[in-house]
């Protein structure tokens, strides 16, 4: 491999990594904002001063899940239809939709049951447990409820 091929490969890798990394970071931050109720200006305080491990775990599993789906779409677009990028991103949308529906169902079943026991609304329960009580165990449970459909759709919907 000569120097120009090495440089082209490096640029390609950097470009595709940024194409996957940036949306996953934004989606993770959006999820932390909407579900956990942490504003971006409060994020540093939650991480550094309060050391809310659940926020780090949420950032991890959301980023992992969406990066799996995005990278699969980019690396091997589905061969259904014309095999175009439009088809690839249409299948990505289907995979995300299926993942989010199954994730929402799992959250409603698991966290809804726990919230009812405490007589709290679902989002209030999640925010209190993860943000204020630093319940890392519940964050990992939520992560599993998200990652299982991601892995399945990664193998089925996008193949």
């Amino acid at each position: 491999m000569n120097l120009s091929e090495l440089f082209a490969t490096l640029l390609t890798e950097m470009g595709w990594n940024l194409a996957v990394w940036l949306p996953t970071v934004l989606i993770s931050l959006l999820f932390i904002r909407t579900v956990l109720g942490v504003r971006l200006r409060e994020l540093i305080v939650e991480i550094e001063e309060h050391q809310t491990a659940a926020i780090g775990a949420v950032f991890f599993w959301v980023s992992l899940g969406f990066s799996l789906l995005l990278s699969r779409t980019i690396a091997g677009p589905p061969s259904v239809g014309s095999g175009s990028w439009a088809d690839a991103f249409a299948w990505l949308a289907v995979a995300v939709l299926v993942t989010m529906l199954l994730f929402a169902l799992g959250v409603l079943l698991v966290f809804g049951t726990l919230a009812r026991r405490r007589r709290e609304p679902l989002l209030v329960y999640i925010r209190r447990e993860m943000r204020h009580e630093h319940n890392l165990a519940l964050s990992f449970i939520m992560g599993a409820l998200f990652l299982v459909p991601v892995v399945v759709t990664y193998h089925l919907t996008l193949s």
Side-chain angles (χ1 to χ4, degrees), residues 105-120 122 125:
L105 179 63
V107 167
L108 286 173
L109 289 173
V110 173
F111 287 83
T113 301
L114 296 171
R116 276 193 302 279
R117 288 183 63 222
R118 294 270 202 164
R119 294 186 176 101
E120 292 177 322
L122 182 62
Y125 175 79

Side-chain angles (χ1 to χ4, degrees), residues 74-146:
I74 291 169
S79 57
V80 177
S82 66
S84 68
W85 284 107
D87 284 346
F89 284 104
W91 280 104
L92 174 64
V94 169
V96 169
L97 178 66
V98 168
T99 296
M100 295 308 293
L101 286 173
L102 291 172
F103 171 66
L105 179 63
V107 167
L108 286 173
L109 289 173
V110 173
F111 287 83
T113 301
L114 296 171
R116 276 193 302 279
R117 288 183 63 222
R118 294 270 202 164
R119 294 186 176 101
E120 292 177 322
L122 182 62
L123 274 179
V124 170
Y125 175 79
I126 290 172
R127 289 176 181 176
R128 181 184 51 74
E129 285 290 329
M130 288 193 196
R131 185 174 177 191
H132 301 292
E133 295 186 15
H134 308 272
N135 193 333
L136 188 56
L138 284 181
S139 184
F140 280 120
I141 291 168
M142 187 180 276
L145 293 172
F146 180 73

Side-chain angles (χ1 to χ4, degrees), residues 11 16 133 144:
L11 282 178
W16 283 117
E133 295 186 15

Side-chain angles (χ1 to χ4, degrees), residues 11-25 70 74:
L11 282 178
T12 301
E13 286 293 325
M14 293 297 292
W16 283 117
N17 270 282
L18 286 173
V20 173
W21 183 74
L22 288 174
T24 59
V25 167
L70 282 168
I74 291 169

Side-chain angles (χ1 to χ4, degrees), residues 32-33 35-43 45-46 50-55 123-136 139:
I32 288 169
R33 172 64 182 113
V35 175
L36 299 183
V38 178
R39 292 187 174 102
L40 291 180
R41 64 179 172 265
E42 299 170 345
L43 191 58
V45 172
E46 287 293 330
H50 299 154
Q51 298 180 6
T52 309
I55 289 176
L123 274 179
V124 170
Y125 175 79
I126 290 172
R127 289 176 181 176
R128 181 184 51 74
E129 285 290 329
M130 288 193 196
R131 185 174 177 191
H132 301 292
E133 295 186 15
H134 308 272
N135 193 333
L136 188 56
S139 184

